[in-house]
Amino acid sequence: MVFHPTIEEFRDFSRYMQKIEEMGAHIASGICKIVPPPEWTPRPIRGKSYTDVLDYVIESPVKEKMEGMGGKFTKINKVYRKTMTVAEFEKLATSHEYCNPKPHIDLVELERHYWRSLLIHEPIYGADTPGSLYDPCVEEFNMNNLGTVLDLLKEKNIKIHGVNTVYLYFGMWKTTFPWHAEDMDLYSINYLHYGEPKFWYGIPTEVADRFERLASHQFTEAQMNCKAFLRHKTYMLSPSLLQRHGIPFGTMVQYPGEFMITFPRGYHAGFNTGYNCAESTNFALERWIDFGKNSLVCMCRPDRVEIDMTPFMQKYRPDEFNSWYDYWYGERASPVKKTGRKGKKGSEISYPPSVELQHVLSWKRNLEKAKKEVRDLWAHSPLNLFAEKQFNEARSKAYPHCSVCQYFVANSHENEHQKVDRLEIKIPTSSRRYVTQQMFAKDQLLDKSSEEPEEDRLLSCSNCYVTVHEHCYSALPSTSSQDDPYENWLCARCQNRDDTLIRSTTCHLCEMRGGALIEARNGGDACFVHVICALMHRRTKHALPDTYLEYSKGSGNHNSRFQCEVCGFQKEGLLKCELCDDEANTCYFHATCAWLADVMLERRDWPSVAVAVCSIHNIGTTSSQEIPQFAVGNKVYVLLDEESRIEKGTIRSVSENLFCTVDFLDGSTSNDVYPCDIKRCECSFMNCNGQHIPGSLVYVEWVDKQIYQAYYRGRGPSVKFLVSIRQNFRGEQEEVEVDNDAIFLRSGPLPQHVRKLVLKRKSTPL
């Protein structure tokens, strides 16, 4: 987009930036052009001759060499000279050896010539030269004083060269700035003072994730060495390669006297068409903070740029500051080794003391084994459709065979009741479906708490071998057979798409390949997501028969990126265990990574709909408890009415019974369900033979004789005490059955909260 502000609009830089964003300047291609009003000039005193620039000294100009083929290239910089003046650089740039060989052709043809001859010429670039060509008296759009949120650094006496100071760039024909987003995902402003035009490419912010995935596939070794390798500004992808992989981009030509603006996480690249001089710096609006706090920083180079976001969060995001700071900079528990904030390596942190070490060690062993099994499926690893097919085919053999519903079945990836030869398993025509319509729509009107799983037809893609229930997958059947509409069915990923697009398809919401993928809309960008990722993401909803609509706006933690405990990548919308209540030790997972970490997905009533629960809460079968030091006849205090009242009593009997623990769909928990009250279970389809699998859906008969759905956690003995208490002043007795944590010896020490209730009881007249 191109904007032509009036001189009045031009006088307030931040307000005008906000105005053009309201008009969608950042949406089309991540870059835009601003043509200043004709009466404005950056040099009202010195004029447009720029002869004063000739004596400027360029430090360490570099010779650029491009290597590569097939649309992917790497730029290698080698210092050409230690210093040279602008006059010397201009003479070199306009010489026969370095000037534009085809100055008379149009820019479209010149762009083609640039890509055709990219490997032939080695131009000299005078980049990152400190200085400004503005006259100090200029107030409008003066890069030395833009007056934006980034000025908070100056208030803290922090100077970062080229970020909150100005750099000059002296270019010549074919000097290139490869694909990159600005440091800390900031905005940038570039003004071309004089010379030949610059040719720009830009990618919208909402496509940044897909572009990064493509770059990581093309430059695998670089991605393995540094997650933020595009910060190196040395990797170039051609427009034709972007088109083949479905990455939208825009082009724009910047002429002398024009500004270019790049937006947060707006990847851009380009080249100079001849000798020119530009001036550039970074800036920030308040909207940037949600990008800056989530930005990934290169940690492998000494010249990296990293801004401490703490003062920005304190000033502009006070409501979420504490949770953000505690997560990234405080002590938090994790069973896996962290990469740390912004890619820094961190130490291994253990689970809280309440979790048994044996469980943690077993969890880690199982996780590492599971990660090895899917090592070829990570989104940033080399493309491997064969590995995806193997994964999809293997998953289709596990109950309930649907690649979506399997996330809602306990331990479906390796259940001790299912250890049979997978080669002998044949995929049935139908199976139980555990995904509900409300999960798709996320609509309270569709709240059906009593909705039970039911049989649904299974579909298997004839190309990628993924298997799904017909009603778990919204794409209509596509087949070449007229006799059977389900024969040779193709999923949305494989339907009417060429092999390059099929292979490069990854989920926009996670880091795992394989599984059931469906088309999605991320703002204006068309992408693909896993069905399970869309179901579990709070900012997505089922919009059209073949589409998931992702909301691009959020607030607070909905706009915060956390780090997945399994893959180590940062993402918005990660899951955390619904039952873990220790905020300081919260662990986050992608929906697809959760399965590897033995984190199961479960149904809930509105508004939760579906939640994640880690295996810590599945207690299994516990051994007999040690009976507390109470005996029949002991005089005790008894806590009643949810610990709001205390009474004196006498223990009449002690009993031990076997009870089950379940979590109901409304979020309540019961740990005193008799085994006989569990009337049915979904794990019977996995041959549990009455030994319920922890995490399975069961049907419990409650005291009101109604059947309620719940998730089975385990079973174990529980000690109960029958206590008689005086009910009124006449001395009438009432018997209550309580657990050991509700009674206290009157002759022994009392906890503080119990003492307060005792004192309150004594001070209350009968």
Side-chain angles (χ1 to χ4, degrees):
M1 298 180 71
V2 181
F3 297 91
H4 295 79
T6 64
I7 192 63
E8 288 76 16
E9 294 174 319
F10 212 59
R11 289 193 175 103
D12 193 328
F13 179 78
S14 293
R15 181 176 295 180
Y16 189 67
M17 290 299 104
Q18 292 173 357
K19 178 180 179 179
I20 65 174
E21 284 194 333
E22 291 172 358
M23 299 169 66
H26 58 299
I27 295 176
S29 62
I31 59 176
C32 77
K33 182 197 292 189
I34 296 178
V35 180
E39 60 267 37
W40 180 87
T41 174
R43 294 162 61 88
I45 298 176
R46 288 179 287 182
K48 298 182 179 180
S49 66
Y50 289 100
T51 55
D52 56 304
V53 181
L54 297 177
D55 294 329
Y56 277 53
V57 175
I58 302 172
E59 297 180 0
S60 304
V62 297
K63 175 174 283 191
E64 299 180 346
K65 180 180 181 181
M66 302 294 286
E67 294 182 347
M69 60 184 299
K72 58 178 182 178
F73 307 93
T74 303
K75 187 178 82 165
I76 300 173
N77 292 329
K78 183 178 180 181
V79 176
Y80 176 70
R81 282 172 54 177
K82 188 174 182 180
T83 62
M84 67 187 307
T85 65
V86 173
E88 292 172 327
F89 184 88
E90 179 181 0
K91 182 178 180 180
L92 190 68
T94 55
S95 67
H96 178 74
E97 182 180 358
Y98 290 98
C99 70
N100 179 0
K102 298 185 176 183
H104 303 298
I105 62 175
D106 61 42
L107 286 171
V108 175
E109 186 59 34
L110 188 63
E111 179 198 10
R112 296 194 185 101
H113 178 68
Y114 166 83
W115 287 105
R116 285 196 297 262
S117 62
L118 187 59
L119 304 179
I120 298 174
H121 189 58
E122 296 184 7
I124 314 298
Y125 203 3
D128 300 341
T129 300
S132 174
L133 302 186
Y134 276 68
D135 283 340
C137 63
V138 176
E139 296 181 357
E140 306 87 5
F141 272 58
N142 190 329
M143 296 189 197
N144 300 281
N145 186 26
L146 291 173
T148 70
V149 168
L150 198 61
D151 287 350
L152 187 58
L153 292 179
K154 294 181 180 179
E155 296 176 14
K156 303 290 183 180
N157 296 318
I158 298 173
K159 180 183 289 187
I160 304 175
H161 293 292
V163 175
N164 62 346
T165 67
V166 180
Y167 270 166
L168 295 174
Y169 295 82
F170 297 92
M172 64 173 62
W173 157 244
K174 204 184 280 191
T175 48
T176 301
F177 45 104
W179 288 107
H180 68 284
E182 294 299 310
D183 294 318
M184 293 297 296
D185 294 331
L186 285 158
Y187 293 77
S188 76
I189 179 171
N190 183 292
Y191 180 74
L192 188 58
H193 280 281
Y194 64 85
E196 300 301 317
K198 283 180 179 285
F199 200 100
W200 291 72
Y201 300 95
I203 290 177
T205 300
E206 58 197 16
V207 189
D209 284 336
R210 286 208 293 135
F211 174 76
E212 289 172 352
R213 294 267 179 89
L214 174 62
S216 67
H217 297 158
Q218 302 299 321
F219 304 102
T220 306
E221 185 175 351
Q223 192 278 331
M224 293 176 63
N225 293 329
C226 177
K227 288 183 180 179
F229 71 99
L230 289 173
R231 301 276 188 209
H232 302 172
K233 303 177 184 178
T234 56
Y235 300 99
M236 197 67 173
L237 298 174
S238 70
S240 59
L241 188 142
L242 297 180
Q243 289 173 339
R244 287 201 304 272
H245 289 85
I247 303 294
F249 64 92
T251 61
M252 195 164 287
V253 177
Q254 180 189 18
Y255 294 93
E258 296 178 344
F259 290 93
M260 292 295 296
I261 304 294
T262 71
F263 297 91
R265 273 200 98 200
Y267 278 93
H268 53 279
F271 62 92
N272 294 296
T273 63
Y275 171 62
N276 59 25
C277 173
E279 183 170 335
S280 182
T281 192
N282 292 113
F283 67 93
L285 304 182
E286 188 175 335
R287 188 176 75 89
W288 161 76
I289 294 170
D290 292 323
F291 291 88
K293 71 181 182 182
N294 298 327
S295 64
L296 191 65
V297 175
C298 165
M299 302 304 296
C300 66
R301 293 200 170 191
D303 59 347
R304 65 180 180 269
V305 172
E306 182 173 10
I307 295 175
D308 181 10
M309 293 300 297
T310 302
F312 293 94
M313 292 293 290
Q314 285 177 318
K315 183 173 181 178
Y316 297 101
R317 298 290 187 272
D319 294 341
E320 60 176 293
F321 171 75
N322 288 335
S323 60
W324 170 83
Y325 187 87
D326 290 344
Y327 180 83
W328 285 113
Y329 298 102
E331 287 290 326
R332 55 192 174 99
S334 170
V336 294
K337 190 166 288 187
K338 291 279 186 248
T339 56
R341 176 61 178 153
K342 304 185 189 304
K344 293 183 287 188
K345 291 184 178 179
S347 59
E348 187 173 349
I349 308 172
S350 62
Y351 265 123
S354 59
V355 181
E356 294 183 4
L357 178 61
Q358 183 178 1
H359 181 97
V360 175
L361 295 176
S362 175
W363 185 93
K364 291 173 66 176
R365 286 193 297 268
N366 293 337
L367 175 61
E368 292 305 315
K369 179 181 177 181
K371 289 170 67 175
K372 287 181 180 179
E373 293 176 355
V374 298
R375 60 182 177 271
D376 295 325
L377 298 177
W378 297 117
H380 288 81
S381 62
L383 299 177
N384 191 336
L385 185 58
F386 177 72
E388 292 187 59
K389 290 182 177 182
Q390 284 186 314
F391 172 78
N392 290 340
E393 190 172 26
R395 292 284 284 160
S396 68
K397 301 295 181 66
Y399 181 83
H401 310 287
C402 170
S403 65
V404 182
C405 289
Q406 284 170 339
Y407 289 92
F408 292 89
V409 174
N411 299 319
S412 63
H413 60 295
E414 188 59 54
N415 192 288
E416 62 181 357
H417 301 283
Q418 290 184 292
K419 292 181 179 178
V420 296
D421 188 353
R422 291 286 175 84
L423 295 177
E424 298 178 359
I425 299 177
K426 293 184 178 180
I427 303 175
T429 57
S430 64
S431 68
R432 303 277 280 181
R433 177 169 55 86
Y434 296 94
V435 172
T436 65
Q437 185 62 30
Q438 189 191 51
M439 294 181 189
F440 284 90
K442 299 181 174 71
D443 189 342
Q444 186 176 8
L445 297 177
L446 292 175
D447 188 13
K448 298 180 180 178
S449 302
S450 61
E451 184 178 359
E452 294 187 11
E454 57 185 20
E455 289 287 316
D456 193 12
R457 178 158 188 160
L458 290 166
L459 305 174
S460 294
C461 178
S462 59
N463 184 53
C464 69
Y465 306 153
V466 68
T467 298
V468 291
H469 283 124
E470 183 176 2
H471 290 89
C472 288
Y473 200 76
S474 61
L476 298 175
S478 170
T479 176
S480 59
S481 173
Q482 296 180 354
D483 299 328
D484 185 352
Y486 298 99
E487 185 180 355
N488 298 323
W489 177 76
L490 293 174
C491 67
R493 171 193 183 178
C494 301
Q495 179 182 344
N496 300 324
R497 303 177 79 231
D498 62 38
D499 186 66
T500 299
L501 291 177
I502 292 173
R503 291 176 180 274
S504 62
T505 299
T506 56
C507 176
H508 180 73
L509 299 175
C510 78
E511 299 298 323
M512 184 77 70
R513 291 203 293 263
L517 292 156
I518 197 163
E519 291 178 282
R521 300 296 302 181
N522 174 34
D525 178 42
C527 58
F528 275 77
V529 296
H530 285 115
V531 175
I532 190 63
C533 292
L535 292 179
M536 299 305 297
H537 199 288
R538 299 300 296 176
R539 286 163 53 199
T540 65
K541 71 175 182 179
H542 188 258
L544 297 172
D546 297 320
T547 311
Y548 285 101
L549 174 65
E550 180 180 354
Y551 295 116
S552 58
K553 294 183 179 180
S555 60
N557 287 339
H558 294 293
N559 243 0
S560 296
R561 288 191 171 204
F562 297 102
Q563 183 169 292
C564 176
E565 303 292 326
V566 176
C567 66
F569 280 89
Q570 299 171 21
K571 205 77 171 179
E572 295 179 10
L574 297 188
L575 307 177
K576 62 179 180 179
C577 177
E578 177 75 5
L579 303 182
C580 290
D581 56 4
D582 189 353
E583 287 295 330
N585 296 312
T586 300
C587 296
Y588 291 87
F589 305 90
H590 292 101
T592 48
C593 290
W595 168 71
L596 299 175
D598 205 15
V599 176
M600 183 184 159
L601 306 183
E602 297 180 354
R603 283 177 52 198
R604 288 293 187 272
D605 293 343
W606 178 268
S608 297
V609 184
V611 299
V613 176
C614 59
S615 59
I616 294 173
H617 306 286
N618 293 329
I619 60 176
T621 302
T622 58
S623 58
S624 178
Q625 291 181 320
E626 180 181 350
I627 299 179
Q629 298 302 312
F630 295 105
V632 175
N634 284 158
K635 305 295 184 180
V636 295
Y637 286 114
V638 185
L639 286 176
L640 301 170
D641 298 339
E642 299 181 352
E643 300 188 0
S644 64
R645 180 169 66 94
I646 196 165
E647 297 290 348
K648 291 181 179 180
T650 303
I651 296 178
R652 296 304 181 193
S653 65
V654 181
S655 61
E656 184 178 24
N657 292 297
L658 187 65
F659 291 105
C660 298
T661 299
V662 299
D663 290 334
F664 292 98
L665 301 193
D666 64 0
S668 62
T669 299
S670 176
N671 57 7
D672 56 0
V673 174
Y674 287 100
C676 61
D677 289 335
I678 298 179
K679 301 303 181 182
R680 291 182 290 126
C681 65
E682 290 297 325
C683 51
S684 63
F685 294 93
M686 294 183 284
N687 303 317
C688 69
N689 298 320
Q691 301 296 317
H692 303 302
I693 301 172
S696 294
L697 187 66
V698 295
Y699 301 86
V700 179
E701 184 179 37
W702 199 239
V703 292
D704 59 1
K705 302 304 180 181
Q706 297 293 317
I707 300 295
Y708 295 91
Q709 297 182 52
Y711 284 90
Y712 178 79
R713 296 289 170 232
R715 65 179 182 177
S718 177
V719 178
K720 297 286 186 180
F721 298 87
L722 187 66
V723 181
S724 63
I725 61 175
R726 192 180 71 173
Q727 181 65 22
N728 52 40
F729 65 90
R730 297 190 185 92
E732 296 178 359
Q733 300 290 314
E734 177 191 10
E735 291 186 340
V736 294
E737 189 177 55
V738 295
D739 297 322
N740 67 287
D741 57 359
I743 59 175
F744 305 88
L745 288 173
R746 282 189 250 169
S747 59
L750 299 175
Q752 184 177 2
H753 73 286
V754 176
R755 288 202 304 270
K756 289 181 178 180
L757 288 173
V758 171
L759 292 173
K760 181 179 179 181
R761 180 181 182 276
K762 290 179 178 179
S763 64
T764 303
L766 296 176

